[in-house]
DNA sequence: TTAATTATATGATATTAGTCAGATATTTAA
DNA sequence: TTAAATATCTGACTAATATCATATAATTAA
């Protein structure tokens, strides 16, 4: 399923500029580069499972990964979609806990694995790097607070509209005045992001289409009216 | 409203053993001690508001503080109840962002304020301390993931049962085979923790009482049947 | 103490969203 | 290519929970 690719050095990595590694000094980049492992993954592959022990961190070079928890009712709550430049698993590592979530490739990906010791040593040798990692963790907490508040205080319609806008921001491709979400998600996965039933997503997408807010082309969603969605999402920005 | 108390040194602080400061070396304890400020707060007082700039961190010596976000519908989502030994505001500080939430005293409290520079210097001078803070941030992320998943995948009844069990764990006083939650929360605040309407909390509490799971004495809740609540919460532990 | 305010409680109703069932479309595997 | 499996869609129904209204109790202020 997964395959090792030519191990391009971090110094030449095209996604590094998007990542926490972006300003690391030469020496540390080399140390990490020497110990990392670039692996190609196909859609559907699991990167790690909730409850298992983290042995290092993952750094996404390309592709998209969903981070999710499986609820007691069997449904997936998607916490986050991670892409190019994002780090995965460093919270579990720094928290000295097992993974609190699972992760699965949803768009073919190339991902580097950096062993725990190498990553931790980099942090300890470079407090500026440590600060950036802490900053990222802290930011994540604020994001989660926002998600929790939306989940409890907003309707499914509002949340779906908001999710579409966010997907547009992260994966949108402009064209003909519209914005095409260039990411293949099943209705069930969209439901997992919103935190609702698959049928509800299907119904609401039909409704949004009828109201000329979006266009549907199979699994692809094209946003036609961002303002309209923003109004619906109760999120004016 | 608030008053300065005799500025007891951190070295003698009774709540330090519960906090991230617990294993700090003597020299740093003194540095912090020299710059901190112990202030007494009454129920209802605001410690800080969402959107404002953090100037330091708060360390709770005694009392209880609610950390919450105000949703666009005006309702409060309570993120967390903080007590003795808990740190507040360090995520915003390390995230170099304004506060992502507000905090209000709900049980008269004594709280130390440690200025930003003093706290950051301690982190940079002591990487073990920095690691503990990062560990705490990381743990918090896992907790928030769990809360989000519960919010989207569980019913209000399940969530209320679970919240009562948690309040019992944190503020419970055993007696007569029962567990009294020794914390005054309005029904509205409980609704804010669960993420529901006040009337729903009132109704469900009445139902739990009818089913002999709890006892109600004004605002105080006595848990009579932890197993029953655990079963109801769909959380078997 | 009394009045005013606020919190709690309960009923009635409306709305939202979940579940179940069946039809069609799409994807995958033989 | 065809069959099987899976995903999407739609309708009908149900259940959960929010909202609104009103009554009572508790708390606060005059």
């Amino acid at each position: 399923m997964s395959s090792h690719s030519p191990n391009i050095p971090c110094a030449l990595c095209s996604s590094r500029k998007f990542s926490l590694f972006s300003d690391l000094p030469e020496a540390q980049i080399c140390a990490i580069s020497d110990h990392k492992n670039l692996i190609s993954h196909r859609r559907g592959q699991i990167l790690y499972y909730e409850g298992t022990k983290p042995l290092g961190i993952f750094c996404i070079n390309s592709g998209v990964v969903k981070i999710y928890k499986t609820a007691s009712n069997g449904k997936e709550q998607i916490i986050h979609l991670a892409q190019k430049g994002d780090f995965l698993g460093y919270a579990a590592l720094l928290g000295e806990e097992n993974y609190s979530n699972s992760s699965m490739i949803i768009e073919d990906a190339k991902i580097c694995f950096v062993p725990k010791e190498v990553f931790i040593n980099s942090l300890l040798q470079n407090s500026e790097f440590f600060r950036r990692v802490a900053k990222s963790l802290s930011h994540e907490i604020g994001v989660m607070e926002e998600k929790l508040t939306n989940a409890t205080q907003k309707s499914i319609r509002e949340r779906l509209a908001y999710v579409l806008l966010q997907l547009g921001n992260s994966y949108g491709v402009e064209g003909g005045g519209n914005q095409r979400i260039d990411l293949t998600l099943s209705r069930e996965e969209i439901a997992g992001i919103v935190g609702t039933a698959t049928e509800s997503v299907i119904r609401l997408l039909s409704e949004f289409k009828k109201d000329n807010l979006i266009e549907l082309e199979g699994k692809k969603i094209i946003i036609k009216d961002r303002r309209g969605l923003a109004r619906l999402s109760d999120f004016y920005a």
Side-chain angles (χ1 to χ4, degrees), chain A:
Chain A
M1 275 298 235
S2 59
S3 63
H4 290 255
S5 305
N7 217 347
I8 300 161
C10 296
L12 303 176
C13 173
S14 62
S15 70
R16 184 160 65 95
K17 61 176 171 295
F18 303 108
S19 86
L20 289 169
F21 286 158
S22 62
D23 282 335
L24 231 46
E26 194 71 24
Q28 280 185 294
I29 286 290
C30 289
I32 288 168
S33 208
D34 289 349
H35 292 92
K36 77 170 167 54
N37 223 333
L38 180 66
I39 300 182
S40 292
H41 302 266
R42 306 295 302 261
R43 174 173 171 88
Q45 256 192 275
I46 298 280
L47 213 54
Y48 57 78
Y49 283 102
E50 181 174 350
T52 61
K53 187 178 169 184
L55 301 173
I57 62 151
F58 298 95
C59 182
I60 304 180
N61 176 268
S62 67
V64 181
V65 181
K66 69 173 171 186
I67 316 301
Y68 63 95
K69 279 183 84 81
T70 307
S72 52
N73 60 7
K75 288 192 188 172
E76 277 180 14
Q77 175 62 44
I78 296 181
I79 308 292
H80 179 61
L81 295 180
Q83 60 177 327
K84 179 174 58 180
D86 285 343
F87 277 35
L88 300 182
Y90 62 111
L93 214 57
L94 290 169
E96 297 167 39
E97 292 170 349
N98 288 342
Y99 286 118
S100 62
N101 53 51
S102 304
S103 75
M104 181 191 278
I105 313 299
I106 59 169
E107 198 114 293
D108 292 359
K110 292 199 168 79
I111 301 177
C112 283
F113 177 80
V114 179
K116 173 175 174 165
E117 301 69 35
V118 177
F119 179 67
I120 298 286
N121 281 340
S122 301
L123 290 181
L124 296 179
Q125 281 163 29
N126 182 343
S127 67
E128 181 51 33
F129 181 45
F130 202 166
R131 259 185 101 158
R132 294 180 63 168
V133 169
K135 178 174 173 172
S136 178
L137 287 169
S138 301
H139 178 73
E140 186 63 23
I141 291 175
V143 169
M144 291 302 297
E145 289 173 355
E146 183 77 30
K147 286 188 182 188
L148 176 66
T149 305
N150 283 339
T152 59
Q153 308 293 349
K154 292 195 171 191
S155 69
I156 303 290
R157 178 177 286 103
E158 290 171 325
R159 278 146 62 192
L160 177 60
Y162 188 46
V163 163
L164 293 180
L165 288 171
Q166 288 181 311
L167 290 173
N169 285 338
S170 300
Y171 304 96
V173 177
E174 307 294 330
N178 295 337
Q179 186 183 49
R180 183 190 179 84
I181 297 172
D182 191 20
L183 178 65
T184 300
L185 292 170
S186 68
R187 300 295 191 250
E188 191 176 5
E189 283 170 328
I190 297 175
I193 300 174
V194 175
T196 186
T198 305
E199 295 94 323
S200 296
V201 167
I202 291 172
R203 250 182 265 279
L204 286 167
L205 286 178
S206 300
E207 183 190 312
F208 289 179
K209 180 183 173 181
K210 188 168 61 60
D211 294 343
N212 250 298
L213 297 165
I214 62 171
E215 196 70 48
L216 297 174
E217 279 180 12
K219 290 203 203 302
K220 288 291 195 294
I221 297 171
I222 293 110
I223 298 178
K224 295 174 70 178
D225 183 359
R226 292 182 63 77
R227 289 189 88 80
L229 283 178
R231 222 175 302 118
L232 240 182
S233 77
D234 186 31
F235 173 77
Y236 309 95

PDB file of all heavy atoms in Angstrom, chain A residues 176-180 208-209 211-216 221-229:
ATOM      1  N   GLY A 176     -14.726  31.232 -13.399  1.00  0.00           N
ATOM      2  CA  GLY A 176     -16.045  31.660 -13.858  1.00  0.00           C
ATOM      3  C   GLY A 176     -16.849  32.338 -12.762  1.00  0.00           C
ATOM      4  O   GLY A 176     -18.061  32.206 -12.710  1.00  0.00           O
ATOM      5  N   GLY A 177     -16.144  33.059 -11.894  1.00  0.00           N
ATOM      6  CA  GLY A 177     -16.825  33.759 -10.807  1.00  0.00           C
ATOM      7  C   GLY A 177     -17.218  32.845  -9.670  1.00  0.00           C
ATOM      8  O   GLY A 177     -17.652  33.315  -8.617  1.00  0.00           O
ATOM      9  N   ASN A 178     -17.061  31.545  -9.868  1.00  0.00           N
ATOM     10  CA  ASN A 178     -17.389  30.585  -8.804  1.00  0.00           C
ATOM     11  C   ASN A 178     -16.123  30.027  -8.157  1.00  0.00           C
ATOM     12  O   ASN A 178     -15.018  30.288  -8.618  1.00  0.00           O
ATOM     13  CB  ASN A 178     -18.214  29.433  -9.390  1.00  0.00           C
ATOM     14  CG  ASN A 178     -19.556  29.908  -9.885  1.00  0.00           C
ATOM     15  OD1 ASN A 178     -20.064  30.938  -9.440  1.00  0.00           O
ATOM     16  ND2 ASN A 178     -20.122  29.181 -10.839  1.00  0.00           N
ATOM     17  N   GLN A 179     -16.350  29.261  -7.119  1.00  0.00           N
ATOM     18  CA  GLN A 179     -15.218  28.672  -6.418  1.00  0.00           C
ATOM     19  C   GLN A 179     -15.465  27.161  -6.292  1.00  0.00           C
ATOM     20  O   GLN A 179     -16.410  26.734  -5.629  1.00  0.00           O
ATOM     21  CB  GLN A 179     -15.104  29.305  -5.030  1.00  0.00           C
ATOM     22  CG  GLN A 179     -13.872  28.876  -4.268  1.00  0.00           C
ATOM     23  CD  GLN A 179     -13.863  29.468  -2.885  1.00  0.00           C
ATOM     24  OE1 GLN A 179     -14.862  29.384  -2.178  1.00  0.00           O
ATOM     25  NE2 GLN A 179     -12.750  30.042  -2.476  1.00  0.00           N
ATOM     26  N   ARG A 180     -14.602  26.387  -6.936  1.00  0.00           N
ATOM     27  CA  ARG A 180     -14.768  24.941  -6.929  1.00  0.00           C
ATOM     28  C   ARG A 180     -13.939  24.354  -5.793  1.00  0.00           C
ATOM     29  O   ARG A 180     -12.744  24.621  -5.687  1.00  0.00           O
ATOM     30  CB  ARG A 180     -14.276  24.405  -8.271  1.00  0.00           C
ATOM     31  CG  ARG A 180     -14.443  22.922  -8.474  1.00  0.00           C
ATOM     32  CD  ARG A 180     -13.675  22.509  -9.743  1.00  0.00           C
ATOM     33  NE  ARG A 180     -13.776  21.088  -9.978  1.00  0.00           N
ATOM     34  CZ  ARG A 180     -14.791  20.502 -10.606  1.00  0.00           C
ATOM     35  NH1 ARG A 180     -15.773  21.234 -11.074  1.00  0.00           N
ATOM     36  NH2 ARG A 180     -14.820  19.189 -10.765  1.00  0.00           N
ATOM     37  N   PHE A 208     -29.383  23.907  -0.633  1.00  0.00           N
ATOM     38  CA  PHE A 208     -28.453  24.979  -1.004  1.00  0.00           C
ATOM     39  C   PHE A 208     -28.386  25.109  -2.529  1.00  0.00           C
ATOM     40  O   PHE A 208     -28.270  26.210  -3.062  1.00  0.00           O
ATOM     41  CB  PHE A 208     -27.049  24.698  -0.455  1.00  0.00           C
ATOM     42  CG  PHE A 208     -26.923  24.842   1.035  1.00  0.00           C
ATOM     43  CD1 PHE A 208     -25.705  24.603   1.679  1.00  0.00           C
ATOM     44  CD2 PHE A 208     -28.009  25.220   1.825  1.00  0.00           C
ATOM     45  CE1 PHE A 208     -25.577  24.735   3.050  1.00  0.00           C
ATOM     46  CE2 PHE A 208     -27.878  25.356   3.211  1.00  0.00           C
ATOM     47  CZ  PHE A 208     -26.660  25.101   3.814  1.00  0.00           C
ATOM     48  N   LYS A 209     -28.454  23.963  -3.201  1.00  0.00           N
ATOM     49  CA  LYS A 209     -28.404  23.978  -4.662  1.00  0.00           C
ATOM     50  C   LYS A 209     -29.664  24.651  -5.213  1.00  0.00           C
ATOM     51  O   LYS A 209     -29.581  25.511  -6.090  1.00  0.00           O
ATOM     52  CB  LYS A 209     -28.303  22.538  -5.174  1.00  0.00           C
ATOM     53  CG  LYS A 209     -28.242  22.430  -6.687  1.00  0.00           C
ATOM     54  CD  LYS A 209     -28.206  20.973  -7.120  1.00  0.00           C
ATOM     55  CE  LYS A 209     -28.313  20.852  -8.634  1.00  0.00           C
ATOM     56  NZ  LYS A 209     -28.308  19.427  -9.048  1.00  0.00           N
ATOM     57  N   ASP A 211     -31.415  26.788  -3.799  1.00  0.00           N
ATOM     58  CA  ASP A 211     -31.357  28.217  -3.495  1.00  0.00           C
ATOM     59  C   ASP A 211     -30.220  28.923  -4.225  1.00  0.00           C
ATOM     60  O   ASP A 211     -29.871  30.059  -3.895  1.00  0.00           O
ATOM     61  CB  ASP A 211     -31.196  28.422  -1.982  1.00  0.00           C
ATOM     62  CG  ASP A 211     -32.428  27.937  -1.219  1.00  0.00           C
ATOM     63  OD1 ASP A 211     -33.490  27.755  -1.851  1.00  0.00           O
ATOM     64  OD2 ASP A 211     -32.320  27.745   0.007  1.00  0.00           O
ATOM     65  N   ASN A 212     -29.599  28.186  -5.172  1.00  0.00           N
ATOM     66  CA  ASN A 212     -28.551  28.786  -5.990  1.00  0.00           C
ATOM     67  C   ASN A 212     -27.313  29.238  -5.235  1.00  0.00           C
ATOM     68  O   ASN A 212     -26.604  30.148  -5.674  1.00  0.00           O
ATOM     69  CB  ASN A 212     -29.113  29.970  -6.767  1.00  0.00           C
ATOM     70  CG  ASN A 212     -29.187  29.623  -8.244  1.00  0.00           C
ATOM     71  OD1 ASN A 212     -28.154  29.364  -8.869  1.00  0.00           O
ATOM     72  ND2 ASN A 212     -30.399  29.564  -8.768  1.00  0.00           N
ATOM     73  N   LEU A 213     -27.059  28.589  -4.118  1.00  0.00           N
ATOM     74  CA  LEU A 213     -25.864  28.922  -3.357  1.00  0.00           C
ATOM     75  C   LEU A 213     -24.681  28.094  -3.831  1.00  0.00           C
ATOM     76  O   LEU A 213     -23.533  28.559  -3.816  1.00  0.00           O
ATOM     77  CB  LEU A 213     -26.104  28.647  -1.861  1.00  0.00           C
ATOM     78  CG  LEU A 213     -27.198  29.499  -1.210  1.00  0.00           C
ATOM     79  CD1 LEU A 213     -27.613  28.911   0.135  1.00  0.00           C
ATOM     80  CD2 LEU A 213     -26.714  30.931  -1.040  1.00  0.00           C
ATOM     81  N   ILE A 214     -24.974  26.877  -4.241  1.00  0.00           N
ATOM     82  CA  ILE A 214     -23.918  25.977  -4.702  1.00  0.00           C
ATOM     83  C   ILE A 214     -24.369  25.232  -5.955  1.00  0.00           C
ATOM     84  O   ILE A 214     -25.545  25.276  -6.326  1.00  0.00           O
ATOM     85  CB  ILE A 214     -23.538  24.931  -3.625  1.00  0.00           C
ATOM     86  CG1 ILE A 214     -24.765  24.051  -3.300  1.00  0.00           C
ATOM     87  CG2 ILE A 214     -23.028  25.600  -2.369  1.00  0.00           C
ATOM     88  CD1 ILE A 214     -24.446  22.862  -2.417  1.00  0.00           C
ATOM     89  N   GLU A 215     -23.411  24.560  -6.559  1.00  0.00           N
ATOM     90  CA  GLU A 215     -23.650  23.682  -7.700  1.00  0.00           C
ATOM     91  C   GLU A 215     -23.043  22.332  -7.331  1.00  0.00           C
ATOM     92  O   GLU A 215     -22.011  22.284  -6.663  1.00  0.00           O
ATOM     93  CB  GLU A 215     -22.895  24.272  -8.902  1.00  0.00           C
ATOM     94  CG  GLU A 215     -23.311  23.750 -10.245  1.00  0.00           C
ATOM     95  CD  GLU A 215     -24.699  24.252 -10.619  1.00  0.00           C
ATOM     96  OE1 GLU A 215     -24.952  25.471 -10.482  1.00  0.00           O
ATOM     97  OE2 GLU A 215     -25.510  23.410 -11.025  1.00  0.00           O
ATOM     98  N   LEU A 216     -23.708  21.243  -7.753  1.00  0.00           N
ATOM     99  CA  LEU A 216     -23.162  19.919  -7.427  1.00  0.00           C
ATOM    100  C   LEU A 216     -22.770  19.188  -8.708  1.00  0.00           C
ATOM    101  O   LEU A 216     -23.568  19.096  -9.641  1.00  0.00           O
ATOM    102  CB  LEU A 216     -24.218  19.107  -6.661  1.00  0.00           C
ATOM    103  CG  LEU A 216     -24.630  19.677  -5.301  1.00  0.00           C
ATOM    104  CD1 LEU A 216     -25.773  18.881  -4.691  1.00  0.00           C
ATOM    105  CD2 LEU A 216     -23.439  19.718  -4.348  1.00  0.00           C
ATOM    106  N   ILE A 221     -18.191  20.062  -5.147  1.00  0.00           N
ATOM    107  CA  ILE A 221     -19.113  21.147  -4.811  1.00  0.00           C
ATOM    108  C   ILE A 221     -18.552  22.462  -5.337  1.00  0.00           C
ATOM    109  O   ILE A 221     -17.366  22.763  -5.125  1.00  0.00           O
ATOM    110  CB  ILE A 221     -19.307  21.218  -3.284  1.00  0.00           C
ATOM    111  CG1 ILE A 221     -19.948  19.916  -2.781  1.00  0.00           C
ATOM    112  CG2 ILE A 221     -20.164  22.427  -2.898  1.00  0.00           C
ATOM    113  CD1 ILE A 221     -19.976  19.794  -1.272  1.00  0.00           C
ATOM    114  N   ILE A 222     -19.385  23.204  -6.029  1.00  0.00           N
ATOM    115  CA  ILE A 222     -18.965  24.514  -6.523  1.00  0.00           C
ATOM    116  C   ILE A 222     -19.766  25.592  -5.789  1.00  0.00           C
ATOM    117  O   ILE A 222     -21.003  25.570  -5.775  1.00  0.00           O
ATOM    118  CB  ILE A 222     -19.203  24.646  -8.041  1.00  0.00           C
ATOM    119  CG1 ILE A 222     -18.274  23.698  -8.790  1.00  0.00           C
ATOM    120  CG2 ILE A 222     -18.967  26.078  -8.514  1.00  0.00           C
ATOM    121  CD1 ILE A 222     -18.978  22.547  -9.429  1.00  0.00           C
ATOM    122  N   ILE A 223     -19.049  26.501  -5.168  1.00  0.00           N
ATOM    123  CA  ILE A 223     -19.716  27.574  -4.433  1.00  0.00           C
ATOM    124  C   ILE A 223     -20.029  28.715  -5.389  1.00  0.00           C
ATOM    125  O   ILE A 223     -19.132  29.270  -6.023  1.00  0.00           O
ATOM    126  CB  ILE A 223     -18.829  28.073  -3.270  1.00  0.00           C
ATOM    127  CG1 ILE A 223     -18.585  26.922  -2.290  1.00  0.00           C
ATOM    128  CG2 ILE A 223     -19.484  29.251  -2.566  1.00  0.00           C
ATOM    129  CD1 ILE A 223     -17.700  27.279  -1.129  1.00  0.00           C
ATOM    130  N   LYS A 224     -21.313  29.048  -5.481  1.00  0.00           N
ATOM    131  CA  LYS A 224     -21.732  30.111  -6.394  1.00  0.00           C
ATOM    132  C   LYS A 224     -21.982  31.424  -5.665  1.00  0.00           C
ATOM    133  O   LYS A 224     -21.908  32.486  -6.258  1.00  0.00           O
ATOM    134  CB  LYS A 224     -23.026  29.699  -7.117  1.00  0.00           C
ATOM    135  CG  LYS A 224     -22.858  28.505  -8.028  1.00  0.00           C
ATOM    136  CD  LYS A 224     -24.184  28.050  -8.604  1.00  0.00           C
ATOM    137  CE  LYS A 224     -24.754  29.039  -9.606  1.00  0.00           C
ATOM    138  NZ  LYS A 224     -26.035  28.535 -10.175  1.00  0.00           N
ATOM    139  N   ASP A 225     -22.324  31.333  -4.393  1.00  0.00           N
ATOM    140  CA  ASP A 225     -22.714  32.535  -3.659  1.00  0.00           C
ATOM    141  C   ASP A 225     -22.148  32.523  -2.235  1.00  0.00           C
ATOM    142  O   ASP A 225     -22.801  32.090  -1.290  1.00  0.00           O
ATOM    143  CB  ASP A 225     -24.246  32.611  -3.631  1.00  0.00           C
ATOM    144  CG  ASP A 225     -24.755  33.873  -2.943  1.00  0.00           C
ATOM    145  OD1 ASP A 225     -23.921  34.681  -2.474  1.00  0.00           O
ATOM    146  OD2 ASP A 225     -25.992  34.038  -2.854  1.00  0.00           O
ATOM    147  N   ARG A 226     -20.916  33.024  -2.140  1.00  0.00           N
ATOM    148  CA  ARG A 226     -20.251  33.039  -0.833  1.00  0.00           C
ATOM    149  C   ARG A 226     -20.998  33.914   0.174  1.00  0.00           C
ATOM    150  O   ARG A 226     -21.149  33.554   1.338  1.00  0.00           O
ATOM    151  CB  ARG A 226     -18.802  33.518  -0.979  1.00  0.00           C
ATOM    152  CG  ARG A 226     -17.910  32.540  -1.735  1.00  0.00           C
ATOM    153  CD  ARG A 226     -16.467  33.017  -1.826  1.00  0.00           C
ATOM    154  NE  ARG A 226     -15.825  33.126  -0.523  1.00  0.00           N
ATOM    155  CZ  ARG A 226     -15.382  32.078   0.152  1.00  0.00           C
ATOM    156  NH1 ARG A 226     -15.505  30.866  -0.325  1.00  0.00           N
ATOM    157  NH2 ARG A 226     -14.818  32.247   1.337  1.00  0.00           N
ATOM    158  N   ARG A 227     -21.428  35.067  -0.295  1.00  0.00           N
ATOM    159  CA  ARG A 227     -22.155  35.963   0.615  1.00  0.00           C
ATOM    160  C   ARG A 227     -23.398  35.275   1.172  1.00  0.00           C
ATOM    161  O   ARG A 227     -23.700  35.396   2.366  1.00  0.00           O
ATOM    162  CB  ARG A 227     -22.597  37.233  -0.116  1.00  0.00           C
ATOM    163  CG  ARG A 227     -21.476  38.168  -0.469  1.00  0.00           C
ATOM    164  CD  ARG A 227     -22.040  39.504  -1.003  1.00  0.00           C
ATOM    165  NE  ARG A 227     -22.306  40.450   0.068  1.00  0.00           N
ATOM    166  CZ  ARG A 227     -21.362  41.180   0.644  1.00  0.00           C
ATOM    167  NH1 ARG A 227     -20.105  41.046   0.282  1.00  0.00           N
ATOM    168  NH2 ARG A 227     -21.678  42.036   1.610  1.00  0.00           N
ATOM    169  N   GLY A 228     -24.097  34.582   0.269  1.00  0.00           N
ATOM    170  CA  GLY A 228     -25.315  33.891   0.686  1.00  0.00           C
ATOM    171  C   GLY A 228     -25.015  32.836   1.743  1.00  0.00           C
ATOM    172  O   GLY A 228     -25.724  32.726   2.746  1.00  0.00           O
ATOM    173  N   LEU A 229     -23.953  32.073   1.507  1.00  0.00           N
ATOM    174  CA  LEU A 229     -23.565  31.059   2.481  1.00  0.00           C
ATOM    175  C   LEU A 229     -23.153  31.703   3.799  1.00  0.00           C
ATOM    176  O   LEU A 229     -23.481  31.212   4.880  1.00  0.00           O
ATOM    177  CB  LEU A 229     -22.422  30.195   1.943  1.00  0.00           C
ATOM    178  CG  LEU A 229     -22.775  29.117   0.914  1.00  0.00           C
ATOM    179  CD1 LEU A 229     -21.522  28.383   0.453  1.00  0.00           C
ATOM    180  CD2 LEU A 229     -23.777  28.119   1.498  1.00  0.00           C
TER     181      LEU A 229
END
